């Protein structure tokens, strides 16, 4: 490998190897987006009913949902979680394929194994992010009690960055060995990063993130144009939002997630060389 | 030696007008942000061809294949340039902060010195960043090679600082002269049109608008891409001038 950045361009090209599978993943993302969107909408409706702060407001008058809708929301949330697990399981497979240096995209054949892999992926992400989140919440609480103290929030940010730096390697380490405990074997993870070199590791991570940020900004500009076009055709904010959420899930989220996980896998592959 | 570089680059950039038009189209869509990096990526490819080629050799213009790799190269180039430019920026901030805490003649004296130092640093940073990009291209795109200050300084020492700066000045002058001359010719043609039109009794404001439009189109599709390839090629060739 001449240069680490080749990994990034390889990762950017990789999703195009099998557009059908990419679109299947995109369909899952789109479904997830729409469900999230629906839950959000329902919650807003529910809140207007429960609170009834202003009975004469348009929102309160026009909402048709009863407060028993909480069950529907719960159902939706469960379905959404299952879809999210499927997506995470797929990402797990992408990392695995990347470490094995396979050029095709993983399939959706075994749903059950996808779910268990997704659960592993979720647990690893959850555990790594729980400490920064706790510190962050504590920081906000502190801020509301005695205002003017930002240090805890800054600490939370730093913790968040460090944890996610490690998380990338942890996920790949877990996918390589197929053991959940390997995701928390900090000594091994740090050894592998040291093997690659910290500067290289941080550099490649930052570079990936910069490429990601540029792509996202460019895509949001394009999406903005699409939104304007759709808004001219259809005059309803909800429908427009739903369409945009679908487009985003179908094409963009799927591409970006496969890209990221491919690069993580490649970095790991370089590290264990 | 320097004149050879210019001659080769001027011929090289005029090899294929299709490339210029493609670059112009990319430039047209640069409001979508991604095309900007494609342009820098293409320039990087020109540099890459130049540092691996020889002066007055028969290097072809790079192709537009593998858009994604081109994009990633472009991002690399932009990052290198920005990181180099951070140094003068921070020095300037430092001087501004110092002079802000002082008052009287001393403050303005420090500010003037600071501005001078920043200016010198900007020139050095420009040179170093271009040479860094060349050095990166020479070492097959290894990102860290762009910041091997020691190696890059040795390269510049080999070429000679004076030669480098002279080449840069020449590049700036040629760029300005070519764009000014082309605009001037178009302006002259349309002035003639406008005058003859108004003699014939036609409203000449339309002709003026058309002239401006054609001027910007020519600048965007022909002259701009031509000059950018010319600059990249010259810098790449300058890199190969080490003894």
């Amino acid at each position: 490998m001449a240069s680490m950045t080749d990994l990034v361009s390889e990762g950017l090209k990789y999703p195009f190897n099998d557009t059908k599978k990419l679109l299947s993943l995109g369909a899952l993302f789109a479904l997830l987006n729409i469900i999230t969107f629906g839950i959000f909408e329902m919650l807003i409706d529910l809140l207007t009913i429960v609170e009834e702060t202003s009975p004469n407001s348009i929102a309160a008058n026009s909402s048709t949902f009863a407060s028993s809708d909480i069950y529907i929301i719960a159902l939706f949330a469960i379905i959404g979680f299952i879809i999210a697990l499927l997506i995470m399981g797929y990402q797990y497979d992408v990392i695995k394929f990347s470490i094995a240096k396979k050029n095709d995209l993983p399939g959706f054949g075994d749903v059950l194994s996808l779910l268990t892999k997704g659960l592993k992926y979720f647990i690893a992400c959850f555990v790594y992010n729980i400490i920064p989140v706790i510190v962050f919440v504590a920081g906000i609480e502190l801020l509301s009690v005695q205002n003017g103290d930002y240090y805890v929030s800054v600490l939370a940010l730093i913790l968040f960055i460090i944890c996610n730096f490690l998380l990338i390697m942890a996920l790949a380490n877990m996918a390589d060995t197929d053991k959940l405990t390997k995701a928390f074997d900090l000594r091994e993870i740090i050894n592998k990063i040291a093997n690659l070199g910290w500067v290289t590791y941080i550099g490649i991570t930052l570079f990936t993130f910069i490429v990601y940020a540029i792509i996202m900004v460019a895509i949001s500009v394009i999406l903005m144009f699409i939104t304007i076009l759709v808004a001219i055709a259809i005059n309803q904010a909800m429908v427009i939002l739903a369409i945009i959420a679908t487009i985003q899930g179908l094409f963009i989220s799927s591409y970006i997630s496969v890209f990221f996980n491919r690069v993580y896998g490649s970095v790991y592959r370089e590290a264990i060389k | 030696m320097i004149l050879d570089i210019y001659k080769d680059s001027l011929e090289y950039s005029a090899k294929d007008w299709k490339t210029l038009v493609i670059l112009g189209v990319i430039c047209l869509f640069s409001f979508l942000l991604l095309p900007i990096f494609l342009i820098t990526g293409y320039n990087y490819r020109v540099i890459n061809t130049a540092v691996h080629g020889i002066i007055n050799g028969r290097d072809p213009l790079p192709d537009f294949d593998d858009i994604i790799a081109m994009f990633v190269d472009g991002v690399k180039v932009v990052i290198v340039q920005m990181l180099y430019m951070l140094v003068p920026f921070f020095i300037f901030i430092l001087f501004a902060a110092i002079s802000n805490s002082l008052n009287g003649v001393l403050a303005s004296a420090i500010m003037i010195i600071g501005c001078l130092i920043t200016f010198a640093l900007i020139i050095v940073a420009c040179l170093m960043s271009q040479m860094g990009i060349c050095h990166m291209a020479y070492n097959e795109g290894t990102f860290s090679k762009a910041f091997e200050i020691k190696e890059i300084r040795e390269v510049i020492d080999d070429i000679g600082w004076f030669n480098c700066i002279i080449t840069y000045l020449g590049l700036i002058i040629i760029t300005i002269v070519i764009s000014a001359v082309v605009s001037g010719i178009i302006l002259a043609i349309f002035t003639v049109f406008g005058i003859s039109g108004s003699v014939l009794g036609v409203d000449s404001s339309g002709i003026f608008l058309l002239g401006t439009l054609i001027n910007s189109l020519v600048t965007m599709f022909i002259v701009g891409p031509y000059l950018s390839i010319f600059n990249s090629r010259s810098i790449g060739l300058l890199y190969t001038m080490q003894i």
Side-chain angles (χ1 to χ4, degrees):
Chain A
M1 191 67 62
S3 156
M4 288 301 281
T5 46
D6 286 356
L7 298 179
V8 177
S9 56
E10 200 267 342
L12 278 174
K13 279 178 231 164
Y14 170 70
F16 292 115
N17 283 353
D18 195 340
T19 37
K20 258 187 213 164
K21 280 174 187 161
L22 187 67
L23 280 184
S24 320
L25 182 67
L28 283 181
F29 263 112
L31 213 57
L32 183 65
N33 273 359
I34 288 184
I35 286 176
T36 322
F37 180 62
I39 290 174
F40 183 64
E41 284 307 311
M42 279 185 176
L43 270 181
I44 287 178
D45 265 339
L46 210 65
L47 282 177
T48 53
I49 292 173
V50 171
E51 290 183 3
E52 281 194 332
T53 45
S54 53
N56 292 324
S57 74
I58 301 169
N61 285 336
S62 61
S63 64
T64 50
F65 292 102
S67 42
S68 63
D69 274 349
I70 192 81
Y71 298 113
I72 300 180
I73 291 180
L75 185 71
F76 268 22
I78 290 170
I79 295 175
F81 183 66
I82 289 173
I83 293 175
L85 279 188
L86 277 178
I87 292 173
M88 287 180 189
Y90 192 79
Q91 293 178 335
Y92 186 101
D93 268 352
V94 170
I95 296 182
K96 228 174 152 49
F97 270 50
S98 170
I99 295 171
K101 223 176 174 183
K102 288 182 192 167
N103 270 332
D104 48 341
L105 269 76
F108 288 93
D110 197 350
V111 176
L112 210 63
S113 93
L114 271 188
L115 280 179
T116 50
K117 283 171 189 166
L119 203 61
K120 280 186 200 165
Y121 197 102
F122 173 73
I123 291 172
C125 290
F126 184 77
V127 171
Y128 270 91
N129 278 310
I130 192 78
I131 299 168
V133 167
I134 288 174
V135 175
F136 182 66
V137 172
I140 290 178
E141 288 295 319
L142 270 179
L143 212 61
S144 60
V145 173
Q146 47 177 54
N147 46 357
D149 211 4
Y150 288 100
Y151 294 119
V152 184
S153 302
V154 174
L155 181 71
L157 187 69
I158 294 169
L159 267 180
F160 187 74
I161 292 170
I162 293 174
C163 284
N164 278 289
F165 260 121
L166 292 176
L167 175 64
I168 295 169
M169 215 46 162
L171 285 176
N173 201 15
M174 177 179 75
D176 191 27
T177 50
D178 258 334
K179 281 182 197 139
L180 184 58
T181 48
K182 285 282 179 189
F184 308 109
D185 193 345
L186 277 181
R187 181 179 303 219
E188 198 180 318
I189 293 165
I190 287 174
N191 273 343
K192 277 173 182 166
I193 298 177
N195 190 22
L196 186 71
W198 281 92
V199 177
T200 318
Y201 181 67
I202 293 173
I204 190 74
T205 316
L206 277 182
F207 186 74
T208 315
F209 188 74
I210 290 170
V211 169
Y212 160 77
I214 291 168
I215 293 178
M216 281 324 276
V217 170
I219 283 176
S220 54
V221 170
I222 297 171
L223 273 186
M224 191 184 77
F225 285 120
I226 295 177
T227 314
I228 292 170
L229 283 182
V230 175
I232 292 168
I234 309 165
N235 224 347
Q236 287 196 316
M238 291 295 146
V239 182
I240 297 167
L241 278 177
I243 290 174
I244 296 299
T246 314
I247 292 176
Q248 204 207 350
L250 203 53
F251 300 111
I252 298 157
S253 305
S254 53
Y255 180 78
I256 292 290
S257 72
V258 172
F259 156 64
F260 257 123
N261 288 291
R262 178 76 179 175
V263 176
Y264 296 168
S266 313
V267 170
Y268 180 81
R269 194 179 67 225
E270 292 292 310
I272 58 172
K273 232 185 211 171
Chain B
M1 178 186 103
I2 296 171
L3 289 179
D4 277 343
I5 290 179
Y6 292 149
K7 177 178 159 285
D8 178 73
S9 309
L10 284 171
E11 282 171 2
Y12 180 78
S13 334
K15 250 179 195 166
D16 192 2
W17 62 272
K18 271 184 212 151
T19 312
L20 300 183
V21 174
I22 293 173
L23 273 180
V25 173
I26 294 176
C27 187
L28 187 67
F29 285 100
S30 60
F31 65 93
L32 294 175
L33 192 73
L34 285 187
I36 297 174
F37 295 98
L38 287 182
I39 295 173
T40 47
Y42 189 78
N43 285 334
Y44 175 77
R45 277 190 185 180
V46 173
I47 291 179
N48 198 9
T49 321
V51 295
H52 286 108
I54 44 165
I55 192 162
N56 292 329
R58 295 179 176 221
D59 295 326
L61 277 166
D63 297 325
F64 277 97
D65 57 346
D66 207 350
I67 300 276
I68 289 170
M70 201 154 98
F71 166 70
V72 173
D73 283 341
V75 176
K76 266 154 79 172
V77 170
V78 172
I79 292 175
V80 171
Q81 282 172 343
M82 280 177 123
L83 285 180
Y84 269 105
M85 277 306 151
L86 273 183
V87 178
F89 179 71
F90 275 122
I91 298 285
F92 184 72
I93 296 282
L94 191 72
F95 271 103
I98 291 174
S99 82
N100 213 14
S101 62
L102 300 170
N103 47 13
V105 185
L106 199 59
S108 32
I110 282 187
M111 204 57 225
I112 290 169
I113 295 172
C115 282
L116 287 177
I117 291 179
T118 310
F119 184 68
L121 272 179
I122 285 176
I123 293 175
V124 174
C126 272
L127 196 63
M128 292 291 271
S129 72
Q130 296 289 0
M131 279 298 148
I133 290 164
C134 293
H135 199 62
M136 181 169 83
Y138 188 71
N139 289 296
E140 285 152 12
T142 313
F143 197 65
S144 55
K145 285 282 178 190
F147 300 102
E148 292 274 354
I149 306 286
K150 216 173 164 190
E151 288 179 30
I152 297 168
R153 232 188 50 206
E154 277 169 15
V155 170
I156 300 182
D157 281 342
D158 280 349
I159 304 168
W161 282 86
F162 182 70
N163 276 340
C164 284
I165 291 171
I166 289 289
T167 314
Y168 266 91
L169 281 179
L171 278 184
I172 295 169
I173 291 169
I174 291 178
T175 306
I176 292 172
V177 165
I178 288 183
S179 47
V181 164
V182 171
S183 297
I185 291 174
I186 293 175
L187 196 72
I189 293 174
F190 277 91
T191 314
V192 172
F193 278 175
I195 290 170
S196 50
S198 58
V199 167
L200 291 172
V202 189
D203 186 12
S204 57
S205 64
I207 294 173
F208 175 70
L209 266 181
L210 187 70
T212 318
L213 186 68
I214 286 185
N215 191 3
S216 55
L217 281 182
V218 166
T219 310
M220 181 182 273
F221 283 102
I222 311 283
V223 180
Y226 180 84
L227 286 176
S228 76
I229 294 178
F230 166 70
N231 278 325
S232 307
R233 173 84 180 167
S234 306
I235 290 159
L237 285 179
L238 184 67
Y239 179 83
T240 61
M241 283 293 126
Q242 332 163 26
I243 307 144

